[in-house]
Amino acid sequence: WTGSVPLVPITSMARAFRDAHVVLLANWINDGKSTESSSVRETCYQGADIDKMVSVEITETNLKKQIRAIHAENPNVIVLVLARYADTRMTIYVNERTLPQVKALNDAVKARLQDEPNTFFLDLDFPLNENIFQSLSKVHPNCRGDKVMATDVINKLYELKVLSRGLDLAASDTCLGSSDCANLDLACCQRSALCYVVNGTTCAPYGPGIQ
C-alpha cells in the first residue's frame, strides 16, 4: 500500500541506484504485520490462512527481485537489508513479549538472503524499558531509535571497508541502554541510545525528540 504515492517500477528503481555505493532496504518490515489485518488477509491473500512466518516467502521474493535488479545494473553496489525492529508496548517501549517472534522473522529473512552476492543483513536491537518509539507517528522509532539505526549502518559499512573510518563503539549489551551519560566513556556514550558525544569530548543526554 502506497496511499497517493505511485508505485515505482523495480527497473526504474534499479537504474536510479546504478551509481550508488550502498543501498539500504527496509521496505519489507510490514510484510509480516500485514498478515494480522483482516482486510489485508481478505484482499491480498484471498482469505488464506497465512501467518508472519509464511509471509517470509513473499518477503524473500520481493527482496530478491529488487536486489537482483540493482545488481543487474551494477553488481558492485552493496545492498544492506535492515532488520525488522521490535514491536511496541505502551506506545513508546519495546515489547519484550514478542521479541522471540521478531527474531525468528529476522533470522528467516536473513537466511533466505545469505547467498545473494554483495548483500548483507543488518541486525538491530533497541534497549528495553526506554522511550524509543514515537508517540505521534506510532510504531516508528523516535530520535533515539534513529540514532541506533544510523550507528549500526555506519558500523556495518566500516566492517565492510566501505568507510575508512568508523565509530569507537563499546559493546551493546553493556552500553545500548546506558543513561548515566555524564559518567560514561566516549565509546559507551556513542553506543548508547540515550546519550551522545558533544564536540568529541563529553557525553550528554539524548532525548526522544519532540512529538
Side-chain angles (χ1 to χ4, degrees), residues 6-186:
L7 289 171
V8 178
I10 288 179
T11 52
S12 298
M13 176 203 71
R15 284 196 297 269
F17 295 152
R18 180 185 300 159
D19 297 323
H21 294 288
V22 178
V23 172
L24 177 66
L25 297 178
N27 57 331
W28 71 274
I29 62 174
N30 287 327
D31 290 353
K33 293 180 180 180
S34 68
T35 65
E36 299 175 334
S37 166
S38 58
S39 61
V40 173
R41 289 167 69 98
E42 185 62 35
T43 303
C44 297
Y45 304 124
Q46 299 180 343
D49 184 16
I50 184 172
D51 61 21
K52 288 182 179 180
M53 294 309 297
V54 176
S55 74
V56 172
E57 301 285 344
I58 298 169
T59 298
E60 177 189 8
T61 299
N62 288 336
L63 283 175
K64 284 184 174 179
K65 282 183 178 180
Q66 295 169 68
I67 292 165
R68 292 172 181 177
I70 292 169
H71 285 155
E73 293 289 337
N74 183 352
N76 295 318
V77 174
I78 291 176
V79 178
L80 298 182
V81 178
L82 185 66
R84 180 185 182 276
Y85 44 76
D87 296 325
T88 61
R89 174 180 61 84
M90 296 175 63
T91 305
I92 61 174
Y93 302 109
V94 167
N95 187 336
E96 295 180 59
R97 183 178 58 84
T98 61
L99 281 179
Q101 294 95 309
V102 173
K103 183 180 185 304
L105 197 65
N106 281 326
D107 288 347
V109 173
K110 184 177 183 178
R112 301 293 182 97
L113 300 178
Q114 63 183 356
D115 294 327
E116 291 297 308
N118 246 5
T119 302
F120 305 91
F121 195 84
L122 187 60
D123 295 310
L124 178 65
D125 291 305
F126 286 158
L128 305 179
N129 301 313
E130 299 291 351
N131 183 346
I132 206 76
F133 288 99
Q134 297 182 41
S135 57
L136 182 60
S137 183
K138 295 180 180 178
V139 309
H140 295 121
N142 59 28
C143 292
R144 288 171 170 170
D146 289 344
K147 177 181 183 288
V148 172
M149 291 190 287
T151 300
D152 287 344
V153 169
I154 291 172
N155 192 47
K156 188 66 173 182
L157 293 178
Y158 177 69
E159 290 177 356
L160 296 173
K161 302 188 185 307
V162 176
L163 298 177
S164 60
R165 298 180 64 186
L167 298 171
D168 183 16
L169 298 174
S172 293
D173 57 352
T174 56
C175 292
L176 190 61
S178 295
S179 59
D180 187 15
C181 305
N183 293 314
L184 299 181
D185 61 41
L186 296 188

